[in-house]
Amino acid sequence: MTRRNHTGTHTTATLRRALRRDTTSTLALLADGEDFAAMRRYTTFPFDDHPGYLAHAEALLKSLATTGGHTTVVLFDPEEYADYCAATGLDPDHPTSRARYAADTAATGAGVTYTGQPLDTLVPLLIDIAVRHATWEYATTLLGEAGTCADCGQDIGRASYDRAGRLLLRLLDAAGPGTHHLVCSVPAEDDQLVAVLHATRDDTGPALLDRTEAAEFTSVLAAGIARGTPGGLVLRTATPGAPDRLHGWRLRDGRLDPLTEAEVFDAYCTDALTGEPIAPESHADYRAGFPLDPDDHPHAHPH
Protein backbone atom coordinates (compact mmCIF):
# COMPACT_ATOMS: atom_id res chain seq x y z
CA MET A 1 0.00 0.00 0.00
CA THR A 2 1.14 3.55 -0.61
CA ARG A 3 1.44 5.94 2.29
CA ARG A 4 -1.17 8.57 2.99
CA ASN A 5 -0.67 12.06 4.39
CA HIS A 6 -2.25 13.25 7.65
CA THR A 7 -5.59 13.71 5.87
CA GLY A 8 -5.61 10.08 4.76
CA THR A 9 -5.15 10.78 1.03
CA HIS A 10 -2.30 9.60 -1.20
CA THR A 11 0.35 12.23 -1.90
CA THR A 12 1.41 12.94 -5.49
CA ALA A 13 4.99 11.86 -4.77
CA THR A 14 3.83 8.59 -3.23
CA LEU A 15 1.58 7.82 -6.17
CA ARG A 16 4.37 8.49 -8.65
CA ARG A 17 6.76 6.22 -6.74
CA ALA A 18 4.13 3.48 -6.75
CA LEU A 19 3.61 3.92 -10.48
CA ARG A 20 7.36 3.82 -11.07
CA ARG A 21 7.52 0.41 -9.40
CA ASP A 22 5.01 -0.85 -11.98
CA THR A 23 7.06 0.50 -14.90
CA THR A 24 9.58 -1.51 -16.91
CA SER A 25 12.82 -0.15 -18.38
CA THR A 26 15.13 -1.49 -21.07
CA LEU A 27 18.77 -0.65 -21.73
CA ALA A 28 20.59 -1.80 -24.88
CA LEU A 29 24.25 -2.01 -23.91
CA LEU A 30 27.24 -1.57 -26.23
CA ALA A 31 29.43 -4.11 -24.46
CA ASP A 32 32.08 -4.30 -27.19
CA GLY A 33 34.54 -1.52 -27.99
CA GLU A 34 34.18 -2.00 -31.76
CA ASP A 35 30.40 -1.81 -31.51
CA PHE A 36 30.75 1.38 -29.47
CA ALA A 37 33.03 2.88 -32.14
CA ALA A 38 30.49 2.02 -34.84
CA MET A 39 27.78 3.99 -33.03
CA ARG A 40 29.89 7.15 -32.87
CA ARG A 41 29.07 7.88 -36.51
CA TYR A 42 25.62 9.01 -35.35
CA THR A 43 25.57 12.67 -34.32
CA THR A 44 22.93 12.04 -31.63
CA PHE A 45 25.13 9.46 -29.90
CA PRO A 46 26.81 11.65 -27.25
CA PHE A 47 29.57 9.46 -25.83
CA ASP A 48 33.28 9.78 -26.68
CA ASP A 49 34.95 6.85 -24.90
CA HIS A 50 33.80 3.33 -24.14
CA PRO A 51 34.89 3.11 -20.47
CA GLY A 52 33.07 6.36 -19.71
CA TYR A 53 29.98 5.09 -21.51
CA LEU A 54 30.01 1.87 -19.47
CA ALA A 55 30.37 3.84 -16.24
CA HIS A 56 27.34 5.96 -17.13
CA ALA A 57 25.38 2.83 -18.11
CA GLU A 58 26.13 1.13 -14.80
CA ALA A 59 25.19 4.27 -12.85
CA LEU A 60 21.88 4.42 -14.73
CA LEU A 61 21.15 0.76 -13.98
CA LYS A 62 21.83 1.29 -10.28
CA SER A 63 19.58 4.35 -10.28
CA LEU A 64 16.75 2.43 -11.94
CA ALA A 65 17.15 -0.39 -9.42
CA THR A 66 16.67 1.99 -6.47
CA THR A 67 13.19 2.94 -7.71
CA GLY A 68 12.00 -0.67 -7.59
CA GLY A 69 11.08 -1.04 -11.27
CA HIS A 70 11.95 -3.95 -13.55
CA THR A 71 14.92 -3.35 -15.85
CA THR A 72 15.97 -5.58 -18.75
CA VAL A 73 19.41 -5.29 -20.37
CA VAL A 74 20.08 -6.43 -23.94
CA LEU A 75 23.10 -6.26 -26.22
CA PHE A 76 23.19 -3.44 -28.76
CA ASP A 77 24.33 -4.72 -32.16
CA PRO A 78 25.04 -1.78 -34.54
CA GLU A 79 24.68 -3.88 -37.71
CA GLU A 80 21.41 -5.37 -36.52
CA TYR A 81 20.27 -1.89 -35.50
CA ALA A 82 20.96 -0.49 -38.97
CA ASP A 83 18.97 -3.35 -40.54
CA TYR A 84 16.17 -2.78 -38.03
CA CYS A 85 15.94 0.90 -38.90
CA ALA A 86 15.97 0.16 -42.63
CA ALA A 87 13.19 -2.40 -42.23
CA THR A 88 11.01 -0.18 -40.04
CA GLY A 89 11.70 3.12 -41.79
CA LEU A 90 13.17 4.70 -38.66
CA ASP A 91 15.92 7.30 -38.63
CA PRO A 92 18.97 5.51 -37.16
CA ASP A 93 20.40 8.82 -35.96
CA HIS A 94 17.66 9.44 -33.42
CA PRO A 95 17.40 8.47 -29.72
CA THR A 96 13.81 7.27 -30.13
CA SER A 97 14.93 4.77 -32.75
CA ARG A 98 17.54 3.38 -30.38
CA ALA A 99 14.93 3.10 -27.64
CA ARG A 100 12.51 1.24 -29.93
CA TYR A 101 15.27 -1.12 -31.02
CA ALA A 102 16.09 -1.85 -27.38
CA ALA A 103 12.45 -2.54 -26.52
CA ASP A 104 11.87 -4.79 -29.54
CA THR A 105 15.09 -6.71 -28.87
CA ALA A 106 14.04 -7.31 -25.26
CA ALA A 107 10.64 -8.53 -26.48
CA THR A 108 12.34 -11.43 -28.29
CA GLY A 109 13.59 -12.77 -24.96
CA ALA A 110 17.26 -12.00 -25.64
CA GLY A 111 17.78 -10.02 -22.45
CA VAL A 112 18.89 -10.29 -18.83
CA THR A 113 17.00 -8.90 -15.84
CA TYR A 114 19.15 -6.43 -13.93
CA THR A 115 19.35 -7.35 -10.25
CA GLY A 116 22.37 -5.29 -9.25
CA GLN A 117 25.02 -7.39 -11.01
CA PRO A 118 28.31 -5.62 -11.79
CA LEU A 119 28.95 -5.18 -15.52
CA ASP A 120 31.76 -7.74 -15.56
CA THR A 121 29.16 -10.29 -14.46
CA LEU A 122 26.30 -8.95 -16.57
CA VAL A 123 28.14 -8.71 -19.90
CA PRO A 124 29.09 -12.43 -20.16
CA LEU A 125 25.45 -13.31 -19.41
CA LEU A 126 24.30 -10.96 -22.17
CA ILE A 127 26.74 -12.42 -24.67
CA ASP A 128 25.73 -15.98 -23.79
CA ILE A 129 22.01 -15.33 -24.15
CA ALA A 130 22.56 -13.39 -27.40
CA VAL A 131 24.55 -16.30 -28.88
CA ARG A 132 21.91 -18.78 -27.74
CA HIS A 133 19.13 -16.68 -29.21
CA ALA A 134 20.95 -16.29 -32.55
CA THR A 135 21.58 -20.05 -32.66
CA TRP A 136 17.91 -20.75 -32.01
CA GLU A 137 16.82 -18.32 -34.72
CA TYR A 138 19.26 -19.83 -37.23
CA ALA A 139 18.18 -23.39 -36.43
CA THR A 140 14.53 -22.37 -36.75
CA THR A 141 15.27 -20.75 -40.11
CA LEU A 142 16.94 -23.94 -41.35
CA LEU A 143 13.91 -25.97 -40.30
CA GLY A 144 11.60 -23.55 -42.08
CA GLU A 145 13.66 -23.83 -45.26
CA ALA A 146 13.69 -27.64 -45.25
CA GLY A 147 10.52 -27.76 -47.35
CA THR A 148 8.26 -30.76 -47.82
CA CYS A 149 9.08 -34.35 -48.64
CA ALA A 150 8.61 -35.11 -52.32
CA ASP A 151 7.51 -38.67 -51.47
CA CYS A 152 5.09 -38.27 -48.55
CA GLY A 153 4.33 -34.53 -48.49
CA GLN A 154 5.39 -34.13 -44.86
CA ASP A 155 6.79 -30.83 -43.62
CA ILE A 156 10.41 -31.91 -43.11
CA GLY A 157 11.15 -29.24 -40.50
CA ARG A 158 8.12 -30.13 -38.36
CA ALA A 159 8.74 -33.87 -38.64
CA SER A 160 12.39 -33.37 -37.70
CA TYR A 161 11.47 -31.21 -34.69
CA ASP A 162 8.96 -33.79 -33.48
CA ARG A 163 11.51 -36.57 -33.82
CA ALA A 164 14.19 -34.53 -32.02
CA GLY A 165 11.76 -33.96 -29.16
CA ARG A 166 11.06 -37.68 -28.86
CA LEU A 167 14.77 -38.50 -28.92
CA LEU A 168 15.45 -35.96 -26.17
CA LEU A 169 12.68 -37.35 -23.96
CA ARG A 170 13.93 -40.91 -24.43
CA LEU A 171 17.49 -39.84 -23.65
CA LEU A 172 16.52 -38.07 -20.42
CA ASP A 173 14.31 -41.01 -19.41
CA ALA A 174 17.13 -43.50 -19.99
CA ALA A 175 19.71 -41.28 -18.24
CA GLY A 176 17.99 -41.88 -14.90
CA PRO A 177 18.21 -39.77 -11.73
CA GLY A 178 20.84 -37.06 -11.41
CA THR A 179 21.83 -33.65 -12.66
CA HIS A 180 22.25 -33.79 -16.44
CA HIS A 181 24.25 -31.50 -18.73
CA LEU A 182 23.76 -32.09 -22.47
CA VAL A 183 25.55 -30.52 -25.42
CA CYS A 184 24.46 -30.97 -29.05
CA SER A 185 26.67 -29.84 -31.92
CA VAL A 186 25.58 -29.75 -35.57
CA PRO A 187 27.48 -28.25 -38.54
CA ALA A 188 25.57 -25.79 -40.74
CA GLU A 189 27.12 -24.02 -43.72
CA ASP A 190 30.23 -22.24 -42.39
CA ASP A 191 28.98 -22.27 -38.82
CA GLN A 192 28.64 -24.74 -35.96
CA LEU A 193 25.32 -24.82 -34.16
CA VAL A 194 25.79 -25.65 -30.47
CA ALA A 195 23.02 -25.97 -27.89
CA VAL A 196 23.24 -26.72 -24.17
CA LEU A 197 20.56 -28.15 -21.91
CA HIS A 198 20.50 -28.66 -18.14
CA ALA A 199 18.03 -31.02 -16.49
CA THR A 200 17.53 -32.66 -13.11
CA ARG A 201 15.65 -35.81 -12.26
CA ASP A 202 14.91 -37.65 -9.04
CA ASP A 203 13.68 -41.18 -8.49
CA THR A 204 10.01 -40.27 -8.59
CA GLY A 205 9.24 -38.23 -11.67
CA PRO A 206 10.26 -36.93 -15.09
CA ALA A 207 13.23 -34.67 -15.69
CA LEU A 208 12.87 -31.00 -14.79
CA LEU A 209 14.25 -28.58 -17.35
CA ASP A 210 13.99 -25.01 -18.62
CA ARG A 211 11.43 -24.82 -21.44
CA THR A 212 13.39 -22.24 -23.43
CA GLU A 213 16.62 -24.25 -23.18
CA ALA A 214 14.71 -27.37 -24.22
CA ALA A 215 13.25 -25.60 -27.27
CA GLU A 216 16.69 -24.30 -28.30
CA PHE A 217 18.27 -27.72 -27.86
CA THR A 218 15.49 -29.51 -29.75
CA SER A 219 15.72 -27.02 -32.62
CA VAL A 220 19.46 -27.57 -33.08
CA LEU A 221 19.09 -31.35 -32.95
CA ALA A 222 16.18 -31.11 -35.39
CA ALA A 223 18.23 -28.98 -37.79
CA GLY A 224 20.80 -31.77 -37.97
CA ILE A 225 18.06 -34.33 -38.60
CA ALA A 226 16.37 -32.22 -41.28
CA ARG A 227 19.61 -31.46 -43.14
CA GLY A 228 20.97 -34.98 -42.83
CA THR A 229 24.28 -33.63 -41.56
CA PRO A 230 26.43 -35.52 -39.07
CA GLY A 231 26.55 -34.17 -35.56
CA GLY A 232 27.21 -35.17 -31.99
CA LEU A 233 25.62 -35.18 -28.57
CA VAL A 234 27.31 -35.65 -25.21
CA LEU A 235 25.79 -36.12 -21.77
CA ARG A 236 27.34 -35.56 -18.34
CA THR A 237 25.39 -36.87 -15.36
CA ALA A 238 26.29 -35.99 -11.77
CA THR A 239 24.97 -37.85 -8.74
CA PRO A 240 26.04 -37.34 -5.12
CA GLY A 241 28.98 -39.44 -3.94
CA ALA A 242 29.87 -40.87 -7.36
CA PRO A 243 32.05 -39.87 -10.33
CA ASP A 244 30.32 -37.98 -13.15
CA ARG A 245 29.13 -40.29 -15.91
CA LEU A 246 30.03 -39.18 -19.44
CA HIS A 247 28.19 -40.59 -22.48
CA GLY A 248 28.15 -39.73 -26.18
CA TRP A 249 26.20 -40.28 -29.41
CA ARG A 250 26.76 -39.66 -33.09
CA LEU A 251 23.93 -38.06 -35.06
CA ARG A 252 23.60 -39.89 -38.35
CA ASP A 253 20.63 -40.33 -40.71
CA GLY A 254 18.19 -39.01 -38.13
CA ARG A 255 19.41 -41.40 -35.42
CA LEU A 256 21.51 -40.96 -32.31
CA ASP A 257 23.93 -43.88 -32.50
CA PRO A 258 25.83 -44.64 -29.27
CA LEU A 259 29.57 -43.98 -29.22
CA THR A 260 31.83 -46.63 -27.75
CA GLU A 261 33.61 -46.03 -24.46
CA ALA A 262 36.85 -45.35 -26.36
CA GLU A 263 35.10 -42.85 -28.65
CA VAL A 264 33.59 -41.05 -25.66
CA PHE A 265 37.03 -40.88 -24.05
CA ASP A 266 38.52 -39.44 -27.26
CA ALA A 267 35.69 -36.91 -27.59
CA TYR A 268 36.23 -35.55 -24.09
CA CYS A 269 40.01 -35.81 -24.03
CA THR A 270 40.85 -34.15 -27.37
CA ASP A 271 41.02 -30.39 -27.92
CA ALA A 272 38.39 -29.64 -30.58
CA LEU A 273 40.43 -26.76 -32.03
CA THR A 274 43.99 -28.11 -31.98
CA GLY A 275 43.43 -31.86 -31.92
CA GLU A 276 45.88 -32.12 -29.03
CA PRO A 277 45.13 -34.58 -26.21
CA ILE A 278 43.64 -33.30 -22.97
CA ALA A 279 44.24 -35.01 -19.65
CA PRO A 280 41.24 -37.09 -18.55
CA GLU A 281 39.24 -35.85 -15.60
CA SER A 282 39.96 -37.60 -12.32
CA HIS A 283 36.34 -37.51 -11.15
CA ALA A 284 34.74 -38.79 -14.34
CA ASP A 285 33.67 -42.17 -15.66
CA TYR A 286 33.81 -42.38 -19.47
CA ARG A 287 31.08 -44.70 -20.71
CA ALA A 288 29.55 -45.75 -24.01
CA GLY A 289 26.32 -44.11 -25.05
CA PHE A 290 23.25 -46.20 -24.27
CA PRO A 291 20.85 -47.30 -27.05
CA LEU A 292 17.90 -45.05 -27.78
CA ASP A 293 15.44 -47.45 -29.36
CA PRO A 294 13.29 -45.46 -31.80
CA ASP A 295 9.52 -45.67 -31.60
CA ASP A 296 9.25 -44.78 -35.25
CA HIS A 297 11.27 -44.89 -38.42
CA PRO A 298 13.95 -42.20 -38.59
CA HIS A 299 13.06 -39.17 -40.65
CA ALA A 300 14.92 -40.14 -43.81
CA HIS A 301 13.88 -37.73 -46.49
CA PRO A 302 16.35 -37.02 -49.30
CA HIS A 303 18.47 -33.89 -48.93
Side-chain angles (χ1 to χ4, degrees):
M1 294 178 62
T2 58
R3 293 180 297 176
R4 299 172 184 265
N5 61 18
H6 67 279
T7 65
T9 60
H10 298 294
T11 65
T12 299
T14 301
L15 289 172
R16 286 178 179 173
R17 283 195 297 271
L19 187 60
R20 180 66 188 88
R21 288 194 295 271
D22 294 340
T23 302
T24 62
S25 301
T26 305
L27 173 67
L29 186 69
L30 290 157
D32 182 79
E34 291 185 6
D35 288 344
F36 175 84
M39 289 302 294
R40 292 193 63 199
R41 69 178 181 267
Y42 299 119
T43 59
T44 59
F45 185 74
F47 300 95
D48 295 323
D49 68 284
H50 193 224
Y53 160 82
L54 292 176
H56 283 294
E58 187 162 29
L60 173 61
L61 289 171
K62 290 179 179 178
S63 174
L64 291 170
T66 62
T67 64
H70 178 90
T71 302
T72 300
V73 187
V74 297
L75 279 183
F76 199 114
D77 184 325
E79 291 187 9
E80 186 181 85
Y81 172 66
D83 292 340
Y84 171 84
C85 289
T88 56
L90 294 174
D91 176 6
D93 198 358
H94 198 283
T96 301
S97 301
R98 295 195 287 273
R100 283 188 55 178
Y101 167 76
D104 285 354
T105 301
T108 67
V112 173
T113 299
Y114 180 72
T115 58
Q117 312 96 312
L119 285 189
D120 59 358
T121 300
L122 184 63
V123 168
L125 290 174
L126 284 172
I127 293 173
D128 177 66
I129 197 169
V131 170
R132 284 175 46 197
H133 189 76
T135 298
W136 190 7
E137 282 192 333
Y138 186 27
T140 301
T141 298
L142 293 177
L143 291 175
E145 294 175 346
T148 57
C149 176
D151 295 326
C152 68
Q154 268 192 315
D155 183 305
I156 295 175
R158 170 52 59 186
S160 298
Y161 189 89
D162 290 345
R163 177 165 178 75
R166 290 193 296 271
L167 285 171
L168 176 59
L169 290 176
R170 285 201 293 274
L171 191 153
L172 290 173
D173 183 61
T179 300
H180 305 298
H181 177 83
L182 300 90
V183 180
C184 180
S185 177
V186 173
E189 302 300 336
D190 297 326
D191 203 357
Q192 189 80 8
L193 296 180
V194 179
V196 178
L197 176 64
H198 302 85
T200 58
R201 184 182 170 200
D202 58 24
D203 295 315
T204 61
L208 302 177
L209 42 80
D210 181 87
R211 293 179 64 182
T212 300
E213 271 195 2
E216 294 168 353
F217 191 93
T218 304
S219 295
V220 169
L221 178 57
I225 294 173
R227 292 169 57 83
T229 54
L233 190 153
V234 292
L235 164 69
R236 175 188 289 265
T237 298
T239 53
D244 288 358
R245 304 190 307 273
L246 309 181
H247 302 271
W249 292 262
R250 180 182 293 106
L251 177 63
R252 180 170 53 191
D253 297 330
R255 301 190 307 271
L256 285 175
D257 294 332
L259 297 178
T260 66
E261 182 178 321
E263 289 173 326
V264 172
F265 182 90
D266 288 341
Y268 275 98
C269 298
T270 303
D271 188 297
L273 296 177
T274 66
E276 295 295 320
I278 301 173
E281 300 179 45
S282 58
H283 192 68
D285 186 5
Y286 299 89
R287 300 185 181 184
F290 39 83
L292 298 172
D293 294 328
D295 59 1
D296 58 357
H297 189 274
H299 184 62
H301 297 95
H303 300 278

